[in-house]
Amino acid sequence: MYRPCGTFDETYIQDIAIIRTPMHWSSLIAGIILLFSLPFLVSGKYLSLLNLIGISIISVHGLSILTGYTGQISLGQAAFMAVGAYTTGLLAVYLKFPFWLALPCSGVITGITGIIFGLPSLRIKGFYLAMATLAAQFIIPWLIVNVRPDLTGGTDTLVVPTAHIGSFAFNSQERIFYLVVPMAILVTFLVRSLVRTRIGRAFTAIRDNDLAAEAMGISLFRYKLLAFFICSFYAGIAGSLWAYWMRAINIDYFLLSDSIWYLGMVIVGGMGSVPGAVFGTVFIRTLDLLVKNIAPWLGTVVPSLAGVAAAALGPFVFGLIILVFLIFEPRGLAHRWEVIKSYFRLWPFSY
Amino acid sequence: MKRLSISLTAVFILTLCLFVSSYAKKPKEIVIPCIIDISGPYAPITAPAFSGFSDACEYVNQRGGIKGVPLKPLIRDCGGRVNVAVSHYMGFREMKPKPLTLFISVSAEGEALKQRIVEDNLVAMSVPGGTTIYPPANTFGLYPLYQDMFGGFMDWVVENWDFNKMGRNPRIAILTWDTTFGRAILTPEVDDYAKKKNIDIVDKVLFSVRDLDVTTQLIRIKMKKPDWVYTNIAVDGVAAIAKSAQGIRYDLKLGGCTVLDWSAIMLAGKLLNGTTLLYTFKSWDDVNDPGIKLLTKWFKEKKRKPTDRTLVYQLAWANVLTMQEVISKAVDKVGWDKLDGAAVKIQMEKLKDFSPLGLTYYSFSPRKHAPGKGYIAQIKDEKIIPITGWRELPDLRPAEHR
């Protein structure tokens, strides 16, 4: 790990610490204070975006472990989120589970579902595995809609009760923010810790060369399925939070296009990078909303673009920016972040 | 004494002015927020609402707005994504003053926002997905419930069926999208109503909203020999049915509802001739109707695209004019200073056969938030021609919500 000049580790605890310097600590504390002040500073519209970013970060961290660290491509992340969301919906509506119990249960059940769809990874990889995980994106919605539509609502929306802790209801964007953001921070911390453990190193070894990893004694069976479990567990947690955030779930919210975008967030942020998952999610989600908000204004500035053309300009601009970004920064935003940090470490005496 | 009387008069006038300015505290404008899918999967259906809202608000403003207050359409594209719709909604609810109304063009968004709309004390008009409308909250249907329209279609089938001559019940097969919207007619109440009307529902077949060919489904249906194939879908789905039927030379009699409109005719053309519809808005092809004349005039003046000449353009007009009506009545009742969603909702629930430009009929009550009138029309020479007058549709909501 790179660290500023003059920072020495004198104990093992210091050596394995994630946060190392007083500057790290002060930045972290200031950042968290600023983050938790946001509900008092920004409008509900932007809090809604922040909540979406928080939920997406949890899901993208899961996908980052599977795809970025273990090298197993998955195109079914949105479907796994659907499992989490519907598990929460069913537990909360029919069994009256409180949210703090429904949330982990949804994660575990989605994790088990992920293991089932991860089984083909033991025999196939690359594009073939992508196709196998794509099956999840078709099979899971079909099961949700058709097996017990009397419970799931089928294609209708299932209304989810508000999450409560005692008498405190998470019934507004401001309140749900204090549920989603701590969860996103916790998951980020857990993922950051996980990738530095034996398990994390096993994942990386499998990604780099699975045959060599097996020859070194790493059980592909165990670790690949573990990666699928962790990926789906986080997807389930994200889906559960989505359900409590929206207070309504419909299978139309978890489409293949969403799975592809989650993969896009991992790629844009930087494969195999914890900050990359955060950067990629923040970048894509913000850009998405930004373009949608700019489009109507653009219509007033450029009258020839007024009307439907301006509004539909969103996806066009969005795709264009992503394309340009991928061409000029293929290693993702995490790499750009490292470059910026290095520059400022030496500034103003850079060479 | 003279000085005192002048002073008292001045104080009186000043007090009156203060009182009047407080009572008649008119807003500078009334925002009409709309969440429309302009760039997502439902865009081919809902995008014409953009021009509809712009034109309808301008029309109202030219006539003095609502008691002198102009309307301002605030149109946001959700791209068919509910999280984007919620984000736009959060922006609307934080406006000062808070909007009174909302227009929603996609069923899933109407359902997701239903509870929030109640909490924020707004009144919404939405496409009438079942759970959006019942149990009644603050959301009102832009047209009758899909199952009610199917019921109205079944009424017409039975009226024109000679049981003695045919010696059997009429047979209807359902071919529809596997979505919230498409499945809206697959309810136990619809099955019970068919039985009551002596209609045999011989098959129920679903297909994906992305399918462009339904040959397999039609072959299966053809084997059941239905007299009618009824569908609850729009635009490209209808075109897929018509083109697949042509491919296997299946001369099917297609039935549909008000969402099967000109946007489908533009795609499938002559193949849809003979299709029978339970329609709930005036036909664009009814060129002598005063309401249609007015819309056509605006359409031409604004140089709108032919593809915007659909039901959704009319829906936008009907929504704006309905809001004009109920907000005006609410202002009369409670004044500008106490005008809020609750006051508007009360007026909405009092609407009886309100007909904006004669385009449709809106009647609501505290128990029913969807209108209930329609007529039968047929597509002839690629035009939608009425073949009956306006009629009441059966109420096929679940019993607990009636």
Side-chain angles (χ1 to χ4, degrees):
Chain A
M1 174 178 279
Y2 299 109
R3 67 200 69 160
C5 181
T7 305
F8 303 108
D9 298 328
E10 292 171 355
T11 63
Y12 282 119
I13 292 172
Q14 284 178 345
D15 188 48
I16 61 170
I18 292 175
I19 301 154
R20 290 167 174 277
T21 64
M23 185 63 185
H24 280 165
W25 275 109
S26 52
S27 305
L28 180 72
I29 291 166
I32 287 177
I33 290 171
L34 181 68
L35 194 61
F36 283 93
S37 310
L38 284 176
F40 305 103
L41 303 174
V42 301
S43 69
K45 180 178 179 180
Y46 295 103
L47 276 180
S48 167
L49 172 68
L50 290 171
N51 287 331
L52 176 64
I53 287 172
I55 291 168
S56 303
I57 283 173
I58 295 169
S59 186
V60 171
H61 273 316
L63 193 59
S64 178
I65 284 182
L66 184 68
T67 304
Y69 283 98
T70 320
Q72 312 297 303
I73 296 173
S74 171
L75 289 175
Q77 194 71 350
F80 293 131
M81 281 180 71
V83 174
Y86 273 93
T87 306
T88 290
L90 296 176
L91 293 176
V93 172
Y94 299 106
L95 300 177
K96 310 293 178 201
F97 270 40
F99 101 90
W100 52 266
L101 195 54
L103 192 75
C105 287
S106 302
V108 171
I109 288 172
T110 313
I112 293 166
T113 310
I115 289 177
I116 295 166
F117 283 97
L119 285 172
S121 68
L122 303 172
R123 297 288 300 271
I124 54 178
K125 54 186 174 181
F127 291 119
Y128 301 97
L129 180 62
M131 294 308 290
T133 54
L134 187 63
Q137 195 62 57
F138 294 105
I139 292 169
I140 289 171
W142 188 89
L143 292 173
I144 289 171
V145 169
N146 294 292
V147 172
R148 290 297 302 272
D150 54 323
L151 295 177
T152 61
T155 51
D156 281 346
T157 298
L158 180 68
V159 176
V160 179
T162 309
H164 281 86
I165 293 182
S167 59
F168 185 84
F170 293 97
N171 58 359
S172 66
Q173 296 294 327
E174 293 83 356
R175 289 178 171 202
I176 204 93
F177 178 87
Y178 290 109
L179 180 64
V180 169
V181 170
M183 197 62 75
I185 293 171
L186 178 68
V187 168
T188 305
F189 175 74
L190 290 177
V191 172
R192 187 76 185 87
S193 304
L194 178 81
V195 296
R196 293 158 7 111
T197 61
R198 174 191 165 88
I199 294 170
R201 286 192 291 276
F203 287 163
T204 311
I206 292 169
R207 178 193 65 193
D208 292 344
N209 191 325
D210 56 348
L211 292 177
E214 194 170 25
M216 287 192 294
I218 293 170
S219 166
L220 295 187
F221 176 81
R222 183 181 164 199
Y223 284 104
K224 280 187 175 179
L225 291 190
L226 185 61
F228 268 98
F229 177 83
I230 294 170
C231 168
S232 310
F233 178 84
Y234 286 144
I237 295 288
S240 179
L241 287 171
W242 175 285
Y244 282 122
W245 175 49
M246 280 287 150
R247 288 188 273 153
I249 38 175
N250 189 295
I251 199 63
D252 286 352
Y253 306 167
F254 307 100
L255 301 175
L256 174 62
S257 56
D258 296 304
S259 290
I260 292 168
W261 280 120
Y262 286 122
L263 201 56
M265 289 172 203
V266 174
I267 294 167
V268 167
M271 301 273 273
S273 161
V274 176
V278 177
F279 291 148
T281 310
V282 172
F283 180 78
I284 287 190
R285 289 294 189 205
T286 309
L287 188 66
D288 190 20
L289 190 73
L290 198 68
V291 168
K292 278 199 161 40
N293 283 328
I294 285 174
W297 169 81
L298 198 64
T300 59
V301 177
V302 188
S304 59
L305 287 175
V308 175
L313 205 62
F316 170 77
V317 174
F318 184 60
L320 189 69
I321 289 175
I322 297 296
L323 197 64
V324 168
F325 184 85
L326 287 177
I327 291 167
F328 293 104
E329 190 50 277
R331 283 187 283 180
L333 284 166
H335 176 251
R336 181 55 45 191
W337 173 241
E338 288 301 329
V339 170
I340 291 169
K341 276 202 302 186
S342 301
Y343 174 80
F344 278 103
R345 258 186 217 125
L346 299 170
W347 187 84
F349 304 112
S350 56
Y351 50 87
Chain B
M1 188 64 192
K2 190 180 174 186
R3 191 177 285 176
L4 182 68
S5 61
I6 290 170
S7 304
L8 282 173
T9 310
V11 169
F12 175 71
I13 290 170
L14 196 65
T15 312
L16 194 66
C17 286
L18 284 171
F19 178 76
V20 168
S21 68
S22 166
Y23 179 74
K25 194 180 163 193
K26 282 186 183 180
K28 285 181 186 167
E29 60 191 15
I30 293 176
V31 172
I32 304 284
C34 323
I35 299 175
I36 304 171
D37 180 3
I38 296 174
S39 57
Y42 292 103
I45 307 168
T46 61
F50 192 103
S51 28
F53 270 105
S54 307
D55 295 355
C57 287
E58 195 178 332
Y59 170 81
V60 171
N61 290 342
Q62 282 181 4
R63 280 151 190 79
I66 297 177
K67 297 185 179 295
V69 180
L71 303 184
K72 182 186 176 191
L74 205 59
I75 301 165
R76 294 286 178 267
D77 172 30
C78 65
R81 283 152 62 187
V82 74
N83 60 290
V84 180
V86 169
S87 173
H88 288 317
Y89 176 79
M90 296 312 295
F92 291 147
R93 74 190 274 270
E94 286 175 352
M95 293 172 69
K96 299 272 186 304
K98 195 167 72 176
L100 298 165
T101 66
L102 179 67
F103 175 91
I104 308 167
S105 70
V106 179
S107 303
E109 285 151 17
E111 289 173 353
L113 291 172
K114 183 179 178 182
Q115 192 53 36
R116 292 170 200 266
I117 289 166
V118 174
E119 288 166 11
D120 294 327
N121 196 18
L122 304 187
V123 170
M125 286 195 88
S126 167
V127 290
T131 49
T132 311
I133 302 302
Y134 53 79
N138 282 25
T139 309
F140 293 80
L142 285 157
Y143 46 81
L145 291 164
Y146 297 112
Q147 57 264 48
D148 293 1
M149 290 194 278
F150 186 27
F153 178 82
M154 287 194 275
D155 287 347
W156 176 81
V157 167
V158 170
E159 283 166 20
N160 293 276
W161 187 264
D162 189 338
F163 283 87
N164 292 328
K165 185 181 165 190
M166 300 303 290
R168 62 173 174 83
N169 291 345
R171 292 192 284 249
I172 296 179
I174 296 171
L175 176 60
T176 191
W177 274 338
D178 190 8
T179 61
T180 312
F181 165 33
R183 281 175 175 254
I185 54 170
L186 304 181
T187 67
E189 291 75 24
V190 165
D191 291 343
D192 293 344
Y193 194 71
K195 273 183 198 157
K196 189 177 147 192
K197 287 279 169 180
N198 293 317
I199 290 174
D200 298 333
I201 304 283
V202 292
D203 208 351
K204 295 173 183 173
V205 185
L206 301 171
F207 66 101
S208 163
V209 73
R210 298 170 197 89
D211 288 348
L212 296 174
D213 186 281
V214 290
T215 305
T216 312
Q217 290 89 337
L218 280 175
I219 288 171
R220 173 178 150 170
I221 284 174
K222 194 177 177 185
M223 289 164 68
K224 304 279 174 73
K225 297 180 180 170
D227 300 299
W228 293 94
V229 175
Y230 188 86
T231 188
N232 195 55
I233 58 175
V235 199
D236 39 357
V238 179
I241 294 176
K243 288 179 181 173
S244 302
Q246 185 197 31
I248 56 170
R249 296 185 184 172
Y250 179 19
D251 188 19
L252 86 170
K253 285 203 282 184
L254 191 64
C257 71
T258 204
V259 291
L260 198 165
D261 71 337
W262 294 268
S263 47
I265 296 172
M266 280 177 232
L267 278 179
K270 283 187 282 188
L271 296 176
L272 288 179
N273 283 344
T275 300
T276 304
L277 308 169
L278 189 294
Y279 220 69
T280 61
F281 271 74
K282 276 280 165 65
S283 166
W284 277 102
D285 301 309
D286 196 353
V287 290
N288 294 320
D289 180 81
I292 295 297
K293 271 184 183 172
L294 180 82
L295 292 199
T296 308
K297 181 174 156 268
W298 272 81
F299 211 82
K300 283 180 182 167
E301 278 177 11
K302 295 285 168 190
K303 294 179 183 167
R304 297 297 182 198
K305 289 182 295 180
T307 47
D308 282 359
R309 189 174 168 272
T310 65
L311 168 79
V312 173
Y313 182 85
Q314 291 190 25
L315 285 182
W317 274 77
N319 177 262
V320 171
L321 295 170
T322 306
M323 289 309 158
Q324 182 196 20
E325 172 78 5
V326 291
I327 292 172
S328 297
K329 284 185 174 174
V331 171
D332 288 343
K333 196 80 179 169
V334 300
W336 284 108
D337 55 340
K338 288 182 183 168
L339 181 66
D340 61 3
V344 176
K345 185 186 171 190
I346 289 169
Q347 297 306 320
M348 280 293 277
E349 288 177 342
K350 284 181 180 173
L351 282 184
K352 290 283 171 284
D353 277 341
F354 172 67
S355 186
L357 295 179
L359 296 175
T360 189
Y361 289 95
Y362 284 142
S363 294
F364 302 115
S365 70
R367 291 290 298 156
K368 191 173 186 191
H369 281 192
K373 269 191 174 178
Y375 63 89
I376 298 291
Q378 270 183 345
I379 301 177
K380 292 173 184 170
D381 298 327
E382 299 173 46
K383 289 178 179 171
I384 296 177
I385 308 294
I387 59 169
T388 70
W390 289 87
R391 49 175 62 197
E392 291 291 334
L393 305 179
D395 183 353
L396 299 184
R397 287 174 297 163
E400 66 268 28
H401 297 305
R402 270 181 224 155

